[in-house]
C-alpha cells in the first residue's frame, strides 16, 4: 500500500490527537468539564504534588475539574477545536514517500536505524537545500545537514525502535542475530512498518516531525542570513580574503534553543571556518570592549577575544582553533592570562564558564561563550541564604565556574570547569548506551563512558599543562587584573551602566537537568499519549512549588521541553525581569538586577576582598587532588607526610607562649569569618563523601564545621579571658536550632549524617555540650539534648570518626558534661554495638576509621567490654609503628593511644624523636602526634614524657614562626576547621599547654573538674 492510501487507510484520521500536550489542548475554548472517573487524577497529583499541580493548572487557566475534562475528552472533540499542527504534514509527506529497503543494511546500528527515518530526513533536506545561494556548495551543505539530522532523529527514536525489535523478535527471519536485526530494520523502514509505528506511537511521530520542521526553519534562516552577510563576514572575520564557497555547515555545536536553533560552524572551500550564533551577540561585543580596556589598564596582559560581527538577534564570530604550545614560558603566560580573565569575569558577575566555553589557543585562553555576564542571583530552595558564608561563596570567583568544581558521581569525580576538562577519566554518572548493538539482542545499558576532554586545556607539545602546577602565574594574573580594575573602577562601573539593555542569558536550572528530562522522555511508554510525557516534565512543577522564582517560569520551561530544546531565559543588566525563549516578559522576577550586582561588586573591591578571592582560587585548585579513601591524601598527595626542610631547635614551650600562639591563630580565624549582625560562618576546604575535597560554606559538624571552630574559640576565651573569641563562638552557633528542626523532619538526612564521633551527630552533641559549659548557655544545653535524641535514630556503623565507637565516647562525655540520662542510654547502646562489630568487621588499623579507635572506645567503656577491647587490640599487634605514618588518624600516634599495654615511654620516644611535620593539623599532622604524647603523659604521670613533649612543642612553635599554621589540606591551603585546619592547630596548642583544663577533642573527653596544677608543659 503506497501513496496517500498509507495515511488514509492504515492510520486513524485522528492519529495525531494523542500527540498533543496538555497546554496545546487548552489552546482553544474548552468544552464543559465532564465528571472524572475515580482515580484519573491521582497520578497527576502524585507527580506534581498538590501545590505544584494547582499552580501549573492555574497558569493554563484550569482547575482539577477542567483537567479531568481534558483527560477524558474524546479524540474527535479535541480534533474539532485544535488546529492540525504543522509537524503532521511533515510526517504524512514522509509516509507517502517511504519505500522498502532493498540494499544491504549497514552494520553500524545508528546507520541502520537511520534507514526507517530516511523519508523524514530526505524531505527536510530537500526543503533546506532550496535556501542555498550562489556561494554555497549545495551538495556539500545538504549532506552535512542530512548527517546531523539523521543522528538527531536516531537519538530520539532509538528506545522505541529497540522496544519494537524485542516485541517482533520471534517473527524475524535470519540465520543469526545480526541477520534478524537487519530483517527488523527492513520491515520497519517499509511504508507499512513506519505507518504502524507512528499509529502506535504518535508522540514519537510528533517529536520526529517537529525536529525536522525546526531544523529546516533554523537551517534556511542560517543560509539566508549568510547570503546577506557574506561580504561583511569575509571582510571582518576572514581578513577580506575570499575563502571560496561554503562546503559544509555543522549544526548542533551547542544546546538547542528557541525553536531548535543552535550554534553552527560554517566551513569554506579553503578550509577556513566561522561560527554562527543564532542569538544576540551583544555580550560578546561588550566583553571585547572590556577586555580592551583591561589590556590598556594592565599592559603586558594582551588578552585576546574572538572577533565579532554583530547583527540584530544573531552574529558571526571567528573560529578559535585549539593549538598547543612549544615552550614552557608560554604555559605561564597562558595561566597568567587565565587569572586575568577570572578577575574580569568576577567583577562582571560572569557565570557558567565551563570547559566547553573556552579554547586554549596557544598561550591565549579565549572565551567563545560569554552570554552569561551580569548573571543575577537566583534563590535556591533549601540553601540558607541568611548564612553569610553562603552569600560570600555565591558572590566569589567560584560562581564563574572557571575554577575547578568537582562533579562527584557513582563512577568517580570529573572536573568540568573552565580549568578542568581533563581527558582520560570516566563520566561520573552512567549514561545511556547499548549492549549487543546491531543484533536482535540489542538492549539499553547504563554505563560510564570515557571522557574525551575539552579544548580548554592548554598543552605543551602533547602533554596537558595542569593548572595546579602554574598556580603562581594564575594568582599573579588575577592580582594584576584585579588591581587594574580597582584603580579604574569608575570607568568600569560606567561601562557596566551602559550595558543596561544588553541581552544576557540567565541559567535558571542546570542544563544537565533539562537534558536528562529530554532523554528520559523518549521512553516508548511515554510516546503513546502526550499526557504521559507531560507527567515526566511535571517533575519541574513539583520541584518549583515552593520556589517563587522558578514557579513563575515552569510553564515556559515545559513549552521549550516539548519543542525538544533546552529552556532558555534571558535578562537585561538594567532590569529585574526575565524574558522567555518565545519573547514573553516575566516582570519583576528578580530581587536585584544583574547590573546592580556587578556595580555592587565593583564598589566592594579592596585588599580584603582580593585576599578572600585569592584564597578561594587556591582552595579550588587544591580540589583537583584525587582522594580514594579517607585520609589517604595525608600520606600520598599533600604535605601531611612531609617534614620541615631544616632542623628546628625546640626550647621549652611554656603555657604562656602556647597561649600567645593560639591567640594569633584565633585572630586569623576571626578575621577570615563572614559575619552578619547575628551570625558568623566561614568558607572552608573540606573532604566530602570521603572522596573529594571541595570549597564550601561550613556546615555544623565538629570535624570540619563551624562548631569545631566555635569550640576552639570558646575554649581560648575561657583561658585567655578575651571576650571577642566567646562572642564569635556564640554567633557561630545561631544556625543550630534550624538545622536540628530540619533533621527532626528528615530521617533520611539523619541517616546520611550518621552518629559518628567527629563527623556525625555524636560529634555535634559533644560540641554543643562543651560549648554549653564554656559559654554557660542554657540554650546550647537544650540543643545538645536534641542532638543526642537525633543521634539515637541514626544508623549504626563501626569506626570513630563516622561510627558508633566515636559516638560511644561522645555520649559518655555529654553524659558527664551535662548529666543527660539520654546520653548515658545511647552510650550503653553504642558500647554494645561497637563490641558486636569486633567479631565480624573488616577494618583498617588506624584510629579514625579502624581498630585503634574501636579498641580505645571499648577500653574506656569499662570492665564489661574488656574482652572485646582486647580482641580489637589484638588486631593491631601486627602493625609496625616504626614504618607507619606518624598521623593520629591512621598512623603511629593513634596506635600508641590504643595500645595501653605497651611501654608508653618507648612509644612517646618513637613519636617525638623525628623531624617535625610540615603539616601541623590534629588529624594527620604534628598536633595530632603531640596529642598522643600528651595522652601518654596523662595516663602515666611520667615526667620524662612530659619534658619530651615540652621540647617538641617548642619545635612546633618554631615551625609556626617560620611557616605559619600549616594545615592538613592539599597544598597546605588554609582552612578554619578543627581536624585539618587552623582551629585544630590552635586547640592542639591549648591542649599541650593546659592539659587539665582543655579536654582532648580527638578522644572526645569531657571537662576536667580538678585544677590545673598538673599541666605538664
Amino acid at each position: 500500500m503506497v501513496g496517500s492510501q498509507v495515511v488514509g487507510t492504515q492510520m486513524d484520521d485522528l492519529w495525531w490527537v494523542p500527540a498533543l500536550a496538555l497546554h496545546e489542548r487548552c489552546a482553544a475554548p474548552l468544552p464543559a468539564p465532564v465528571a472524572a472517573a475515580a482515580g484519573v487524577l491521582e497520578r497527576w497529583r502524585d507527580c506534581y504534588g498538590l501545590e505544584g499541580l494547582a499552580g501549573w493548572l492555574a497558569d493554563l487557566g484550569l482547575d482539577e475539574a477542567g483537567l479531568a475534562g481534558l483527560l477524558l475528552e474524546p479524540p474527535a472533540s479535541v480534533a474539532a477545536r485544535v488546529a492540525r499542527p504543522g509537524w503532521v504534514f511533515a510526517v504524512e509527506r514522509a509516509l507517502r514517500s517511504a519505500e522498502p529497503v532493498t540494499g544491504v543494511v549497514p552494520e553500524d546500528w545508528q546507520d541502520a536505524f537511520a534507514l526507517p527515518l530516511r523519508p523524514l530526513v530526505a524531505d527536510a533536506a530537500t526543503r533546506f537545500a532550496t535556501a542555498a545561494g550562489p556561494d554555497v556548495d549545495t551538495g556539500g551543505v545538504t549532506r552535512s545537514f542530512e548527517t546531523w539530522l539523521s543522528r538527531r532523529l536516531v537519538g530520539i527514536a532509538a528506545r522505541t525502535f529497540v522496544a519494537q525489535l524485542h516485541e517482533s523478535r520471534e517473527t524475524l527471519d535470519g540465520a543469526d542475530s545480526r541477520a534478524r536485526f537487519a530483517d527488523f530494520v527492513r520491515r520497519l523502514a517499509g511504508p507499512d512498518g513506519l505507518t504502524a509505528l507512528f499509529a502506535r506511537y504518535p508522540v514519537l511521530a510528533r517529536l520526529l516531525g517537529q525536529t525536522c520542521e525546526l531544523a529546516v526553519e533554523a537551517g534556511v534562516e542560517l543560509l539566508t542570513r549568510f547570503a546577506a552577510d557574506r561580504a561583511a563576514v569575509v571582510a571582518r572575520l576572514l581578513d577580506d580574503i575570499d575563502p571560496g564557497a561554503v562546503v559544509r555547515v555543522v549544526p548542533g555545536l551547542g544546546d538547542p534553543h528557541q525553536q531548535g536553533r543552535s550554534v553552527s560552524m560554517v566551513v569554506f572551500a579553503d578550509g577556513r571556518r566561522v561560527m554562527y550564533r543564532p542569538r544576540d551577540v551583544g555580550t560578546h561585543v561588550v566583553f571585547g570592549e572590556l577586555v580592551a580596556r583591561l589590556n590598556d589598564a594592565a599592559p603586558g596582559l594582551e588578552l585576546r577575544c574572538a572577533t565579532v560581527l554583530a547583527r540584530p538577534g544573531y552574529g558571526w564570530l571567528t573560529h578559535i582553533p585549539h593549538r598547543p604550545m612549544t615552550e614552557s614560558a608560554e604555559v605561564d603566560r597562558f595561566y597568567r592570562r587565565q587569572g586575568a580573565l577570572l578577575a574580569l569575569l568576577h567583577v562582571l558577575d560572569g557565570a557558567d564558564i565551563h570547559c566547553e566555553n573556552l579554547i586554549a589557543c596557544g598561550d591565549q585562553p579565549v572565551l567563545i561563550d560569554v552570554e552569561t555576564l551580569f548573571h543575577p542571583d537566583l534563590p535556591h530552595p533549601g540553601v540558607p541564604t541568611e548564612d553569610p558564608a553562603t552569600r560570600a561563596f555565591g558572590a566569589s570567583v567560584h560562581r564563574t565556574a572557571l575554577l575547578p568544581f568537582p562533579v562527584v558521581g557513582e563512577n568517580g569525580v570529573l572536573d568540568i570547569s573552565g580549568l578542568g576538562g581533563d581527558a582520560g577519566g570516566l563520566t561520573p554518572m552512567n549514561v545511556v548506551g547499548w549492549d549487543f548493538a546491531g543484533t536482535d539482542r540489542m538492549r539499553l545499558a547504563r554505563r560510564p563512558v570515557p571522557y574525551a576532554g575539552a579544548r580548554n586545556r592548554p598543552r605543551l607539545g602533547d602533554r596537558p599543562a595542569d593548572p595546579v602546577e602554574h598556580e603562581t602565574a594564575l594568582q599573579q594574573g588575577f592580582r594584576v587584573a584585579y588591581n587594574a580594575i580597582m584603580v579604574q573602577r569608575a570607568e568600569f562601573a560606567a561601562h557596566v551602566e551602559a550595558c543596561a539593555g544588553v541581552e544576557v542569558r540567565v541559567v535558571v536550572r542546570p542544563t544537565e537537568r533539562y537534558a536528562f528530562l529530554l532523554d528520559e522522555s523518549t521512553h516508548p511508554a511515554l510516546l503513546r499519549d502526550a499526557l504521559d510525557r507531560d507527567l515526566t516534565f511535571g517533575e519541574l512543577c513539583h520541584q518549583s512549588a515552593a520556589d517563587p522564582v522558578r514557579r513563575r517560569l515552569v510553564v515556559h520551561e515545559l513549552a521549550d521541553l516539548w519543542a525538544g530544546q533546552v529552556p532558555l531565559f534571558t535578562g537585561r543588566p538594567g532590569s529585574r525581569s526575565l524574558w522567555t525563549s518565545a519573547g514573553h516578559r516575566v516582570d519583576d522576577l528578580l530581587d536585584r538586577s544583574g547590573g546592580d550586582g556587578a556595580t555592587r561588586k565593583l564598589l566592594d573591591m579592596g585588599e580584603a576582598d582580593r585576599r578572600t578571592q585569592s584564597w578561594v582560587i587556591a582552595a579550588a585548585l587544591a580540589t583537583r587532588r584525587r582522594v580514594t579513601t579517607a585520609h589517604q591524601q595525608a600520606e600520598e598527595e599533600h604535605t601531611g607526610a612531609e617534614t620541615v626542610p631544616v632542623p628546628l631547635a625546640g626550647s621549652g614551650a611554656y603555657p604562656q607562649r602556647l597561649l600567645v600562639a593560639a591567640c594569633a591563630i584565633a585572630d586569623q580565624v576571626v578575621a577570615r569569618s563572614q559575619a552578619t549582625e547575628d551570625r558568623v560562618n566561614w568558607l572552608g576546604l573540606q573532604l566530602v563523601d570521603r572522596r573529594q575535597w571541595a570549597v564550601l560554606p561550613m556546615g555544623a559538624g565538629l570535624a570540619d564545621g563551624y562548631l569545631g571552630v566555635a569550640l576552639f574559640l570558646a575554649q581560648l576565651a575561657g583561658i585567655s579571658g578575651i571576650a571577642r573569641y566567646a562572642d564569635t563562638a556564640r554567633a557561630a552557633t545561631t544556625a543550630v536550632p534550624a538545622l536540628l528542626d530540619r533533621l527532626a523532619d528528615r530521617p533520611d538526612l539523619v541517616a546520611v549524617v550518621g552518629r559518628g564521633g567527629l563527623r556525625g551527630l555524636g560529634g555535634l552533641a559533644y560540641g554543643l555540650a562543651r560549648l554549653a559549659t564554656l559559654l554557660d548557655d542554657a540554650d546550647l544545653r537544650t540543643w545538645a539534648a536534641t542532638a543526642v535524641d537525633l543521634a539515637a535514630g541514626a544508623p549504626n556503623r563501626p569506626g570513630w570518626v563516622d561510627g558508633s565507637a566515636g559516638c560511644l565516647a561522645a555520649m559518655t562525655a555529654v553524659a558527664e558534661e551535662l548529666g543527660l540520662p539520654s546520653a548515658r542510654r545511647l552510650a550503653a547502646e553504642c558500647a554494645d554495638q561497637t563490641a558486636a562489630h569486633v567479631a565480624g568487621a573488616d577494618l583498617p588499623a588506624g584510629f579514625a576509621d579502624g581498630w585503634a579507635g574501636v579498641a580505645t572506645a571499648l577500653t574506656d567503656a569499662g570492665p564489661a567490654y574488656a574482652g572485646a577491647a582486647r580482641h580489637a587490640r589484638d588486631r593491631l599487634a601486627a602493625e609496625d609503628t616504626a614504618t607507619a605514618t606518624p598521623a593520629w588518624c591512621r598512623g603511629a600516634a593513634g596506635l600508641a593511644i590504643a595500645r595501653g599495654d605497651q611501654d608508653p615511654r618507648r612509644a612517646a620516644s618513637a613519636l617525638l624523636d623525628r623531624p617535625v611535620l610540615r603539616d601541623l593539623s590534629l588529624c594527620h599532622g604534628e598536633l595530632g602526634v603531640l596529642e598522643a604524647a600528651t595522652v601518654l603523659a596523662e595516663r602515666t604521670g611520667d615526667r620524662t614524657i612530659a619534658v619530651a613533649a615540652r621540647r617538641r612543642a617548642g619545635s612546633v612553635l618554631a615551625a609556626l614562626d617560620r611557616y605559619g599554621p600549616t594545615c592538613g589540606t592539599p597544598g597546605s591551603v588554609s582552612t578554619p576547621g578543627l581536624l585539618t585546619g587552623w582551629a585544630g592547630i590552635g586547640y592542639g596548642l591549648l591542649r599541650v599547654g593546659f592539659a587539665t583544663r582543655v579536654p582532648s577533642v580527638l578522644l572526645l573527653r569531657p571537662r576536667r573538674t580538678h585544677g590545673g596544677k598538673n599541666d605538664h608543659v
Side-chain angles (χ1 to χ4, degrees):
M1 189 171 292
V2 295
S4 61
Q5 291 177 302
V6 172
V7 178
T9 304
Q10 291 197 357
M11 295 181 71
D12 189 286
D13 288 338
L14 304 178
W15 69 272
W16 51 273
V17 171
L20 295 178
L22 185 63
H23 66 275
E24 291 168 308
R25 297 187 182 192
C26 297
L30 299 177
V34 298
V40 71
L41 295 175
E42 198 59 39
R43 62 177 183 153
W44 289 75
R45 295 192 190 103
D46 290 344
C47 177
Y48 285 72
L50 290 177
E51 187 176 354
L53 178 60
W56 181 43
L57 291 178
D59 288 338
L60 296 174
L62 285 175
D63 55 16
E64 286 202 6
L67 174 61
L70 284 176
L71 293 176
L72 299 177
E73 186 180 2
S77 173
V78 177
R81 63 185 183 80
V82 177
R84 193 176 176 90
W87 55 264
V88 171
F89 300 103
V91 172
E92 292 180 343
R93 283 195 305 271
L95 289 172
R96 284 192 291 268
S97 64
E99 296 178 353
V101 173
T102 56
V104 176
V105 173
E107 290 189 8
D108 182 89
W109 71 270
Q110 293 186 86
D111 293 338
F113 277 173
L115 292 179
L117 304 172
R118 188 168 55 187
L120 284 163
V121 175
D123 175 72
T126 298
R127 290 182 288 144
F128 168 77
T130 61
D135 295 310
V136 174
D137 176 357
T138 303
V141 298
T142 302
R143 284 191 295 274
S144 61
F145 175 83
E146 287 178 317
T147 299
W148 167 77
L149 181 59
S150 181
R151 287 300 170 99
R152 181 91 189 275
L153 297 186
V154 168
I156 295 171
R159 290 193 186 189
T160 305
F161 283 6
V162 171
Q164 290 291 98
L165 171 65
H166 290 172
E167 288 188 12
S168 58
R169 186 176 178 184
E170 299 300 323
T171 67
L172 298 176
D173 296 329
D176 56 28
S177 186
R178 172 79 190 102
R180 289 189 292 273
F181 176 82
D183 183 53
F184 166 76
V185 171
R186 291 190 186 94
R187 295 187 187 190
L188 184 63
D192 292 350
L194 202 56
T195 301
L197 178 77
F198 288 166
R200 185 177 186 186
Y201 297 103
V203 181
L204 175 63
R206 168 183 175 165
L207 298 181
L208 297 174
Q210 177 179 267
T211 300
C212 290
E213 291 295 286
L214 296 178
V216 171
E217 181 181 336
V220 168
E221 182 179 76
L222 184 157
L223 293 177
T224 302
R225 287 173 169 177
F226 176 77
D229 296 336
R230 188 183 194 281
V233 167
V234 172
R236 181 162 177 77
L237 306 183
L238 299 174
D239 301 322
D240 209 13
I241 300 173
D242 188 351
V246 175
V247 296
R248 191 157 53 100
V249 173
V250 184
L253 299 181
D255 296 318
H257 299 295
Q258 294 177 309
Q259 300 300 298
R261 293 167 175 81
S262 63
V263 174
S264 302
M265 181 169 64
V266 177
V267 183
F268 296 94
D270 69 355
R272 287 185 291 169
R273 51 197 69 186
V274 296
M275 306 305 297
Y276 164 73
R277 296 187 67 85
R279 299 190 296 281
D280 188 272
V281 294
T283 51
H284 286 266
V285 175
V286 166
F287 191 71
E289 294 169 349
L290 289 165
V291 165
R293 180 177 290 279
L294 179 57
N295 283 336
D296 291 340
L301 283 179
E302 299 176 349
L303 294 170
R304 178 186 171 189
C305 287
T307 306
V308 183
L309 176 63
R311 291 291 187 259
Y314 70 100
W316 307 89
L317 287 80
T318 49
H319 173 260
I320 306 297
H322 183 218
R323 192 170 66 234
M325 293 167 280
T326 58
E327 299 178 1
S328 57
E330 292 181 286
V331 182
D332 273 339
R333 286 201 298 271
F334 177 92
Y335 280 113
R336 186 170 183 267
R337 288 167 173 151
Q338 189 92 303
L341 279 177
L342 178 60
L344 182 58
L345 290 167
H346 170 60
V347 299
L348 297 178
D349 267 343
D352 202 39
I353 310 298
H354 53 74
C355 59
E356 301 292 340
N357 289 339
L358 187 143
I359 303 292
C361 183
D363 61 2
Q364 288 280 359
V366 184
L367 288 171
I368 59 172
D369 188 346
V370 291
E371 61 183 358
T372 50
L373 297 182
F374 310 110
H375 200 279
D377 291 326
L378 296 176
H380 292 275
V383 176
T385 55
E386 70 280 1
D387 178 9
T390 299
R391 291 182 188 175
F393 187 61
S396 74
V397 288
H398 203 275
R399 73 171 285 169
T400 64
L402 187 63
L403 290 173
F405 62 91
V407 177
V408 181
E410 53 197 322
N411 306 312
V413 180
L414 184 67
D415 175 14
I416 60 170
S417 69
L419 286 172
D422 308 77
L426 297 175
T427 53
M429 304 298 182
N430 290 333
V431 298
V432 171
W434 300 96
D435 285 340
F436 311 111
T439 74
D440 68 341
R441 299 167 60 205
M442 185 173 179
R443 68 186 184 192
L444 185 144
R446 297 182 184 275
R447 62 171 70 91
V449 298
Y451 181 70
R455 297 181 297 160
N456 66 306
R457 289 301 305 279
R459 304 184 70 85
L460 182 59
D462 60 355
R463 185 180 70 87
D466 195 304
V468 174
E469 299 173 5
H470 300 273
E471 180 181 347
T472 300
L474 184 74
Q475 291 274 21
Q476 182 191 47
F478 177 81
R479 183 172 60 254
V480 167
Y482 187 101
N483 290 342
I485 295 169
M486 186 166 59
V487 169
Q488 295 192 11
R489 79 173 85 212
E491 291 83 352
F492 277 89
H495 210 123
V496 168
E497 186 176 352
C499 296
V502 173
E503 181 178 289
V504 299
R505 185 182 174 192
V506 178
V507 181
V508 171
R509 300 183 206 263
T511 299
E512 294 78 13
R513 187 70 207 142
Y514 294 132
F516 175 80
L517 286 173
L518 285 170
D519 183 57
E520 290 301 305
S521 68
T522 62
H523 191 286
L526 306 177
L527 301 182
R528 295 186 178 93
D529 192 324
L531 298 179
D532 293 324
R533 198 165 187 253
D534 265 336
L535 285 174
T536 298
F537 295 151
E539 179 184 337
L540 296 181
C541 299
H542 183 60
Q543 293 173 350
S544 305
D547 185 337
V549 172
R550 293 167 184 82
R551 172 68 197 82
R552 295 176 60 189
L553 300 176
V554 166
V555 66
H556 307 289
E557 291 177 297
L558 298 185
D560 279 349
L561 289 170
W562 262 108
Q565 61 196 22
V566 172
L568 177 73
F569 297 97
T570 58
R572 311 291 185 270
S575 173
R576 295 193 301 111
S577 300
L578 292 186
W579 284 258
T580 71
S581 63
H584 177 76
R585 176 171 174 161
V586 185
D587 288 325
D588 299 327
L589 194 68
L590 308 172
D591 292 334
R592 184 175 67 178
S593 71
D596 287 345
T599 300
R600 181 75 261 170
K601 189 164 286 186
L602 281 164
L603 293 175
D604 288 342
M605 293 179 75
E607 187 62 26
D609 176 69
R610 187 181 64 75
R611 285 197 301 267
T612 297
Q613 305 312 323
S614 293
W615 177 86
V616 174
I617 294 170
L621 287 173
T623 66
R624 287 181 59 82
R625 307 275 183 155
R626 298 292 183 257
V627 179
T628 54
T629 61
H631 308 285
Q632 183 172 339
Q633 197 151 341
E635 299 177 9
E636 297 178 357
E637 295 188 19
H638 67 61
T639 59
E642 296 179 1
T643 58
V644 296
V646 294
L648 295 173
S651 59
Y654 294 98
Q656 194 61 34
R657 289 187 63 202
L658 292 164
L659 179 61
V660 169
C663 287
I665 293 173
D667 289 341
Q668 293 186 63
V669 170
V670 173
R672 180 72 65 83
S673 67
Q674 306 292 331
T676 58
E677 290 184 0
D678 57 355
R679 186 166 179 186
V680 168
N681 200 3
W682 292 264
L683 293 177
L685 183 59
Q686 302 169 51
L687 190 62
V688 178
D689 195 25
R690 301 168 66 94
R691 291 187 290 172
Q692 178 65 46
W693 291 90
V695 188
L696 292 169
M698 280 189 152
L702 182 67
D704 301 309
Y706 54 74
L707 281 186
V709 181
L711 180 57
F712 161 55
L713 294 175
Q715 186 72 73
L716 179 59
I719 294 173
S720 68
I722 299 175
R724 71 173 182 276
Y725 299 146
D727 293 341
T728 303
R730 188 172 286 105
T733 67
T734 57
V736 170
L739 170 68
L740 296 176
D741 288 344
R742 187 180 184 203
L743 290 174
D745 293 336
R746 293 285 302 275
D748 57 322
L749 292 182
V750 170
V752 171
V753 174
R755 59 171 54 168
L758 285 170
R759 285 206 172 97
L761 285 160
L764 194 73
Y766 175 87
L768 290 170
R770 288 290 301 130
L771 285 165
T773 299
L774 291 166
L775 300 176
D776 192 21
D777 190 312
D779 288 337
L780 286 166
R781 291 185 179 89
T782 300
W783 303 343
T786 302
V788 170
D789 294 339
L790 290 170
N796 171 36
R797 292 189 287 262
W800 185 275
V801 169
D802 296 318
S804 57
C807 188
L808 164 57
M811 291 303 109
T812 301
V814 171
E816 293 188 33
E817 194 88 41
L818 303 181
L820 291 176
S822 58
R824 291 193 178 90
R825 288 193 298 270
L826 182 54
E829 178 185 323
C830 287
D832 292 340
Q833 292 169 343
T834 304
H837 286 143
V838 171
D842 181 17
L843 302 176
F847 202 105
D849 54 5
W851 289 115
V854 171
T856 299
L858 291 172
T859 299
D860 292 345
Y865 300 95
R870 185 168 53 253
H871 187 67
R873 280 195 300 274
D874 288 345
R875 301 293 189 100
L876 305 175
E879 284 294 315
D880 184 2
T881 57
T883 59
T885 172
W888 164 82
C889 56
R890 62 196 310 258
L895 297 177
I897 294 173
R899 287 171 168 167
D901 57 345
Q902 301 225 342
D903 182 351
R905 185 175 294 183
R906 180 181 177 185
S909 178
L911 289 173
L912 300 178
D913 293 343
R914 50 170 182 73
V916 174
L917 293 174
R918 183 75 175 269
D919 174 3
L920 299 182
S921 72
L922 279 179
C923 185
H924 35 251
E926 192 62 43
L927 268 304
V929 176
L930 266 178
E931 170 61 25
T934 302
V935 170
L936 293 174
E938 285 179 323
R939 285 177 178 172
T940 62
D942 191 322
R943 183 65 182 169
T944 301
I945 298 176
V947 171
R950 180 170 59 200
R951 186 181 307 113
R952 185 67 171 193
S955 297
V956 170
L957 289 180
L960 267 174
D961 289 341
R962 182 170 294 186
Y963 304 108
T966 307
C967 296
T969 54
S972 302
V973 172
S974 61
T975 189
L978 189 68
L979 267 190
T980 58
W982 285 349
I985 297 172
Y987 194 98
L989 296 175
L990 296 179
R991 171 81 174 128
V992 174
F994 306 90
T996 57
R997 297 174 61 187
V998 180
S1000 172
V1001 71
L1002 288 179
L1003 300 187
L1004 298 166
R1005 292 293 192 249
R1007 61 175 174 168
R1008 302 296 181 86
T1009 56
H1010 55 276
K1013 63 181 180 180
N1014 293 324
D1015 288 348
H1016 66 267
V1017 184

